[in-house]
Amino acid sequence: MRAQSRTWYLNSGLLLILCMLPFEKLQAQTSNIEDAHQQFRSGQYAQCLENAQKAMEERSYDLSWRVLYLKTLLAVGRYDEALDAFEQILRRFTMKLHFYKLGHTIYLYNGKVDKAQDILGRMISYGRARGLTGLNSVDIVALGEALLLLGAEPRTVLDEFFNNIIARDPECREAYIAAGNLALDKNDFALAGDFFQKALKQFNDDPDMHYGLARAFYHSDREVMLKALDAALHINANHAASLLLLAEHQIDAEDLIGARKTLERIHAVNGRQVEAWAFRSLLAYLDNDPNTARECREKALEFRPSNPKVDYLIGKKLSQKYRFAEGAAYQQLSLKFDVDYQPAKIQLAQDLLRLGYEEQGWQLVQDIYETDAYNVEAYNLVNLNDHMAKFKTLKSDEFIVRMSESEADVFGDMVLELLIEAKAELCGKYGLKLDRPVVTEMFDNQQDFAVRTFGMPDAYGFLGVCFGHVITMNSPKAERPMNWKATLWHEFSHVVTLNLTQNKMPRWLSEGISVYEESQKDPTWGQYMNPEFRRMILDGEMTPLGKLSGAFINPPTPTHLLFAYYESSLAVEYIITKYGLETLKVILADLAQGDPINEALVRHADKLEALEKEFTLFVIERAEDFAPEVDWESPDQEAQYFEKIPSPTEWLEKHPNSLWALTQYALQLIRQGAWEEAKTPLNRLIELYPNDIGEDNPYLLLAEVHRQLGETELEYRVLDKLASRSADATSAFERLVDLAVQRKDWKMVVKNGQRYLAVNPMLGKVHYHLGLAYETLAENEKAVKCYERLLHLDPADPADVHYRLALLLKDNDPEAAKKHVLLALADAPRFRAAHKLLLELVKRNKELR
């Protein structure tokens, strides 16, 4: 083990004593304490205590033995003994700031809050008297930690105390830990990761460093987090902080049995571990066992009855389960103990925002930022609030929609219309009556969406999130195609189920119902079987129902995450198909009463083992029935058997229905310009696998072949088949609109134009063609809407748009018609038809007088 740190100042008396000791004895003591530190790091606490006590009985003058002794007493939950020993040592030894900082922790563990605060003041006084040049590295770090606890500016402390020591004394482990913990406390996870990764280059055998790295990646990369936890627990299987983080991960994955076992491991070493009791209280709460929850909370508060961290932890995890009202109540309890406890304040602010209590939530965010400008989450939210102040708000009796003004002007009314339709259908279907308006916020900037939803940017992979009465969504972008209508329908389904269950439902069931309801609304929406899902099912990669929520937490690939949504939707389909919708509604009602999902399933469906077995057979049958004539083998799978990979035509000789060979052969013919010949494999692909709507699907390829051959009617038919199967085939939708305009098939213009707008509502050409179609179909109100939207998209010929609006409005709203015809003439002064219409309007106005 390395020396503790470089020292610039030594007590002269202690130096004299050290000089009088034989060198061999000094060397033996150094070796012994290094062994003891290794025992502490590896979780051998009993041996460590024994060695420390022995060294202290031999009247060792090394304060390090006392520090190690006290830390070990804390690790095994002997808090009162640690307090007595600290106060005895304090009377006998010269002041050391890192020793006082340890005393601060000991006082807090024993509920001596006033003494803990007093010792911080004594540390500051001592630091001022000695100056930094009179302190060693560890004491400078301790002084910086004391300053933070007393409200010093975090960035200043980070730079002047922690970063400075890391630069001057790179072997000071305490500096890395303090800097990393400060970054974690301020939600600066990237910076925290940097500190702990640097520390691990020197202290790879230190479980605290691996644990710190795990915390840094907890929200962004669970795979890295779990690897870091494995490393920490490999070094020290009793490392309480790492076990707590593992239990938290298990709670997130709804592995409550695993979490209980992990917490039992902690309490086997330290029966008083506060955070473990807080999590046990949470687990009892989730099990609808209020008595046990109360008892465990009382155990957590036994030694420090005003500890704000206990209720903060319980509330935070409840909020992560989407139980925001209950989470907020716990944060308010936490703040009763300590009104300035920042973790509870920022969590409460987020809870209020997610509950729709925006005025209080944003005010609390502002308060936090004003007192702690380094809090990254508060900083991000303050900036977001400034940006959202420019949003446009649309309202109905049942909904509040906030969007950027440019997007609200174009399709804000479409958003409201879809929400009203979703409420009528889904609330009626499930028997829900909402008691207040639902707020929907659509963000044209993905980072803003991430901050509003998660508190931090760079949270990719989510299209929308529902908190109960609040929906947040990414708005549709041409460069990020998504069917925003399907997404909004999905999220409103969450509004229904979360309210029905009072947010007490497992993620798999919540997501499964939402995906299922997408497909019920529109067959092209939702998740559907594809070759990769088929392979995963037949290869046994399904997750059992009892663990299905965990599949959303740490998927190894994006495909696995999509598969979790798909499997969840199949589970809901299976329950409804076999047991009926009413059974599902009764299960949701039981969840609202706090019953665990597995108990509700057993009560109303079947035993979990039998249910999982039957469901697995149901899914396997679905996979086996998927494109049954397709030959799924490919040379890539059997490359070891070939000296060279065969050509598509060679493979087709033995595998005439090979998806791989037919696709590669068709692409080969297209590259050669053999358009007529390419039709055969492409038509066969569509025949074998008609629901192939992925990238470079056979429909798009065959449509291009027909286009190259001038076979417009055939191209139209192929694209129409694709459009009937895909929710986001914008190139097909746009081409179908163009072809329908040429054919003057105005109903098809409307059908495919609306399909296109569900993916990208910001393309002016489609609004123009829809306007023409509605004009021709004598649906004037809809035509007016299309042209009004088009005016917000900087049309190439605004005079023509204004003129068309004037024509449509001249009978029902002559004043508006006059306004538009004047605007047309302002853009095109020689527009004769507009002049004629203006004269007609003026004449009609005179006649009315």
Side-chain angles (χ1 to χ4, degrees):
M1 178 180 173
R2 58 168 187 81
Q4 189 175 47
S5 68
R6 186 166 67 249
T7 302
W8 293 295
Y9 168 79
L10 283 172
N11 178 279
S12 57
L14 180 59
L15 180 61
L16 178 61
I17 293 169
L18 289 172
C19 292
M20 292 170 65
L21 289 171
F23 175 75
E24 292 80 3
K25 187 169 183 178
L26 280 173
Q27 192 175 39
Q29 286 186 0
T30 301
S31 175
N32 287 340
I33 197 168
E34 287 179 354
D35 291 343
H37 274 295
Q38 179 58 36
Q39 289 170 340
F40 181 84
R41 285 197 304 274
S42 62
Q44 301 175 62
Y45 299 127
Q47 299 91 319
C48 184
L49 271 178
E50 182 181 344
N51 287 333
Q53 285 176 314
K54 183 178 179 181
M56 291 162 59
E57 288 168 1
E58 292 176 355
R59 307 188 64 80
S60 169
Y61 289 93
D62 189 347
L63 184 62
S64 298
W65 280 111
R66 272 97 183 143
V67 170
L68 182 59
Y69 177 69
L70 294 173
K71 286 183 177 179
T72 310
L73 286 175
L74 293 179
V76 296
R78 292 158 63 176
Y79 301 153
D80 45 358
E81 292 180 50
L83 177 60
D84 291 342
F86 170 74
E87 291 186 334
Q88 289 180 24
I89 297 167
L90 192 62
R91 290 191 289 269
R92 297 176 54 197
F93 276 76
T94 306
M95 160 75 78
K96 285 289 184 181
L97 290 182
H98 70 277
F99 181 66
Y100 263 45
K101 179 62 179 60
L102 176 59
H104 173 266
T105 301
I106 292 170
Y107 279 134
L108 287 181
Y109 275 36
N110 284 275
K112 309 289 185 182
V113 178
D114 291 341
K115 284 192 172 184
Q117 196 69 12
D118 177 67
I119 209 168
L120 293 178
R122 293 167 67 180
M123 290 177 68
I124 301 305
S125 298
Y126 185 86
R128 285 174 179 161
R130 302 300 304 181
L132 294 185
T133 57
L135 301 175
N136 65 22
S137 296
V138 177
D139 284 339
I140 291 173
V141 171
L143 182 60
E145 291 175 315
L147 287 167
L148 286 173
L149 290 169
L150 291 169
E153 206 287 314
R155 288 188 182 276
T156 301
V157 173
L158 178 64
D159 291 336
E160 298 299 325
F161 289 81
F162 304 156
N163 281 335
N164 193 24
I165 292 300
I166 289 172
R168 291 161 55 185
D169 185 3
E171 293 188 354
C172 180
R173 68 179 290 277
E174 291 78 7
Y176 292 100
I177 291 175
N181 285 341
L182 173 57
L184 288 170
D185 290 343
K186 303 305 176 185
N187 298 302
D188 194 343
F189 301 112
L191 181 62
D194 289 343
F195 280 123
F196 287 114
Q197 284 171 331
K198 290 177 183 176
L200 282 168
K201 293 177 181 178
Q202 298 190 67
F203 311 109
N204 194 50
D205 64 342
D206 191 329
D208 290 339
M209 301 303 182
H210 291 285
Y211 162 72
L213 185 66
R215 280 190 66 195
F217 281 94
Y218 184 84
H219 297 286
S220 60
D221 193 329
R222 290 292 175 100
E223 184 176 357
V224 173
M225 182 273 290
L226 288 171
K227 286 181 180 178
L229 278 187
D230 284 343
L233 292 170
H234 178 74
I235 298 167
N236 181 355
N238 297 320
H239 194 252
S242 295
L243 289 170
L244 280 168
L245 195 61
L246 176 60
E248 189 171 359
H249 168 72
Q250 291 167 323
I251 291 168
D252 291 346
E254 297 180 16
D255 180 12
L256 304 190
I257 294 174
R260 286 189 183 90
K261 291 179 179 178
T262 301
L263 295 173
E264 287 169 3
R265 286 175 61 184
I266 296 171
H267 279 151
V269 176
N270 178 0
R272 295 169 172 172
Q273 217 288 333
V274 170
E275 292 87 347
W277 280 115
F279 281 153
R280 289 179 80 160
S281 177
L282 168 73
L283 291 175
Y285 192 101
L286 294 173
D287 274 347
N288 201 24
D289 184 355
N291 292 330
T292 302
R294 183 179 62 255
E295 291 169 4
C296 291
R297 179 177 178 271
E298 289 171 356
K299 291 286 287 184
L301 294 169
E302 180 180 2
F303 276 80
R304 185 184 170 191
S306 62
N307 186 353
K309 190 173 185 180
V310 172
D311 290 317
Y312 159 71
L313 285 176
I314 297 171
K316 180 185 75 169
K317 299 313 295 181
L318 284 171
S319 294
Q320 289 174 358
K321 297 289 183 185
Y322 280 40
R323 296 169 71 163
F324 303 108
E326 296 152 284
Y330 271 96
Q331 301 311 331
Q332 288 164 339
L333 286 175
S334 174
L335 292 170
K336 283 183 179 179
F337 291 143
D338 184 351
V339 70
D340 295 319
Y341 190 58
Q342 292 289 65
K345 289 177 75 173
I346 193 66
Q347 184 62 51
L348 178 59
Q350 286 280 32
D351 288 341
L352 292 171
L353 291 173
R354 289 162 181 165
L355 287 165
Y357 302 122
E358 288 144 349
E359 185 176 351
Q360 304 98 306
W362 288 121
Q363 183 58 56
L364 188 53
V365 167
Q366 187 65 41
D367 293 345
I368 296 166
Y369 177 70
E370 289 175 0
T371 57
D372 184 4
Y374 182 33
N375 190 302
V376 174
E377 190 169 353
Y379 171 81
N380 288 333
L381 286 167
V382 166
N383 286 338
L384 173 64
N385 192 29
D386 291 341
H387 178 65
M388 288 184 66
K390 302 171 186 175
F391 274 21
K392 188 170 184 176
T393 300
L394 309 174
K395 292 184 178 182
S396 71
D397 293 339
E398 303 157 314
F399 295 99
I400 299 170
V401 176
R402 298 190 184 96
M403 307 168 64
S404 67
E405 186 172 2
S406 61
E407 292 189 339
D409 289 340
V410 175
F411 68 102
D413 59 331
M414 296 165 65
V415 172
L416 266 177
E417 288 170 8
L418 186 66
L419 285 168
I420 292 168
E421 182 182 356
K423 180 178 183 291
E425 287 192 25
L426 295 171
C427 288
K429 180 176 182 177
Y430 286 90
L432 174 68
K433 185 175 181 180
L434 290 168
D435 57 359
R436 57 192 173 97
V438 173
V439 176
T440 299
E441 296 171 346
M442 298 188 78
F443 296 90
D444 56 353
N445 182 294
Q446 194 279 335
Q447 300 284 60
D448 288 345
F449 161 76
V451 170
R452 175 64 174 94
T453 306
F454 306 106
M456 303 295 290
D458 302 323
Y460 298 100
F462 293 88
L463 301 177
V465 172
C466 173
F467 300 115
H469 276 86
V470 175
I471 295 171
T472 60
M473 273 183 60
N474 280 300
S475 69
K477 293 285 185 182
E479 66 273 14
R480 187 184 62 236
M482 70 163 189
N483 192 303
W484 66 265
K485 287 190 173 183
T487 301
L488 188 56
W489 197 271
H490 178 106
E491 298 307 331
F492 190 81
S493 299
H494 283 308
V495 171
V496 173
T497 55
L498 290 176
N499 276 277
L500 278 173
T501 62
Q502 298 178 34
N503 290 43
K504 300 173 186 176
M505 65 187 310
R507 184 169 180 184
W508 74 262
L509 184 58
S510 181
E511 296 295 355
I513 291 174
S514 286
V515 175
Y516 174 80
E517 288 300 341
E518 280 187 72
S519 65
Q520 296 301 295
K521 176 60 179 174
D522 188 320
T524 67
W525 295 357
Q527 295 281 341
Y528 291 93
M529 186 75 74
N530 60 41
E532 185 61 16
F533 289 174
R534 174 190 175 276
R535 182 200 63 76
M536 294 172 73
I537 292 166
L538 297 181
D539 286 353
E541 295 186 31
M542 287 178 61
T543 304
L545 279 180
K547 299 180 179 180
L548 188 49
S549 290
F552 292 90
I553 300 300
N554 189 38
T557 68
T559 299
H560 283 79
L561 178 60
L562 293 175
F563 185 65
Y565 281 97
Y566 178 59
E567 185 181 343
S568 299
S569 71
L570 287 179
V572 171
E573 180 186 343
Y574 173 74
I575 291 170
I576 292 175
T577 300
K578 182 164 185 179
Y579 301 100
L581 177 63
E582 291 305 312
T583 296
L584 177 62
K585 290 163 68 174
V586 173
I587 290 171
L588 295 176
D590 283 0
L591 294 176
Q593 298 302 314
D595 292 352
I597 179 61
N598 292 347
E599 290 183 14
L601 287 171
V602 170
R603 187 178 302 121
H604 302 292
D606 203 342
K607 292 181 180 179
L608 188 61
E609 289 184 4
L611 197 63
E612 288 181 339
K613 183 178 180 179
E614 291 175 7
F615 171 60
T616 300
L617 293 174
F618 170 81
V619 176
I620 289 174
E621 183 179 355
R622 179 72 57 88
E624 290 174 342
D625 289 344
F626 173 70
E629 294 184 27
V630 168
D631 184 338
W632 298 101
E633 292 184 25
S634 70
D636 291 339
Q637 296 171 318
E638 302 185 7
Q640 56 183 320
Y641 301 113
F642 299 100
E643 293 183 6
K644 67 172 184 175
I645 294 179
S647 69
T649 51
E650 291 172 335
W651 189 257
L652 283 170
E653 290 177 4
K654 293 184 178 181
H655 303 270
N657 291 340
S658 167
L659 191 71
W660 173 84
L662 287 167
T663 302
Q664 295 303 313
Y665 183 44
L667 290 171
Q668 184 182 78
L669 292 171
I670 289 171
R671 285 192 294 269
Q672 295 169 356
W675 306 110
E676 192 64 45
E677 292 83 350
K679 290 180 183 179
T680 300
L682 289 171
N683 278 311
R684 183 57 178 156
L685 283 168
I686 291 172
E687 182 183 349
L688 288 169
Y689 178 14
N691 289 322
D692 184 359
I693 56 173
E695 189 175 354
D696 290 333
N697 62 72
Y699 293 101
L700 287 175
L701 296 174
L702 185 57
E704 180 61 23
V705 166
H706 289 312
R707 189 172 185 177
Q708 291 293 332
L709 293 171
E711 299 169 343
T712 305
E713 179 63 28
L714 292 175
E715 178 193 2
Y716 186 87
R717 292 178 189 174
V718 170
L719 290 176
D720 187 49
K721 289 180 181 178
L722 173 60
S724 69
R725 289 170 167 80
S726 174
D728 55 10
T730 49
S731 61
F733 302 154
E734 186 177 2
R735 177 63 175 162
L736 283 168
V737 168
D738 291 341
L739 292 174
V741 169
Q742 293 174 20
R743 295 152 58 106
K744 300 190 183 303
D745 186 345
W746 300 111
K747 289 185 179 180
M748 289 300 290
V749 171
V750 170
K751 186 175 183 179
N752 288 290
Q754 292 295 345
R755 284 170 169 167
Y756 188 95
L757 295 183
V759 183
N760 178 16
M762 302 298 286
L763 184 67
K765 182 181 78 170
V766 174
H767 288 285
Y768 180 74
H769 285 148
L770 279 169
L772 291 177
Y774 285 127
E775 270 192 81
T776 308
L777 296 169
E779 297 188 54
N780 289 356
E781 289 186 11
K782 292 180 179 179
V784 167
K785 279 285 187 184
C786 292
Y787 291 136
E788 287 176 342
R789 291 171 182 145
L790 178 58
L791 287 173
H792 292 289
L793 293 170
D794 192 21
D797 189 355
D800 177 62
V801 180
H802 283 296
Y803 174 69
R804 289 182 176 278
L805 278 167
L807 284 172
L808 291 165
L809 294 168
K810 68 178 183 177
D811 294 327
N812 296 328
D813 192 347
E815 284 300 316
K818 182 179 178 182
K819 173 186 172 183
H820 280 292
V821 79
L822 288 171
L823 288 170
L825 289 168
D827 279 320
R830 298 182 180 180
F831 193 166
R832 291 188 177 183
H835 278 288
K836 183 178 179 181
L837 179 57
L838 178 60
L839 291 172
E840 179 185 335
L841 289 169
V842 170
K843 180 180 178 182
R844 185 182 299 181
N845 187 47
K846 288 180 179 180
E847 290 173 351
L848 290 173
R849 289 180 182 176

